Amino acid sequence: VDFSTYMQQVRLFFLDGIRDYSKITGDSGQIAYPAGFLYFFELIRRITCDGNIWLAQLFFALIYILHLLSLIHI
């Protein structure tokens, strides 16, 4: 996951108010995901205190564990 680029793109979309997808870029290039992606990563940005990678990794680990638990019906 290119987390730093995602956070840059989220900042452009939400904080700077840019809605033209051709102008939403990051270190790895132009955005290639739908708006739902931006809303999801805006939630991640808020949960992780403005993009703290360590907290984001913990959050994704929690989602992964919950997903596994739902699959094995514990």
Side-chain angles (χ1 to χ4, degrees), residues 35-49:
F37 162 86
L38 290 169
Y39 286 99
F40 175 74
F41 272 91
E42 171 61 10
L43 174 67
I44 299 296
R45 187 186 70 80
R46 289 176 187 240
I47 290 171
T48 61
C49 305

Side-chain angles (χ1 to χ4, degrees), residues 45-69:
R45 187 186 70 80
R46 289 176 187 240
I47 290 171
T48 61
C49 305
D50 203 24
N52 181 314
I53 292 175
W54 188 81
L55 287 174
Q57 288 175 330
L58 286 176
F59 181 75
F60 280 111
L62 177 65
I63 290 173
Y64 179 71
I65 290 169
L66 291 174
H67 176 76
L68 285 177
L69 290 174

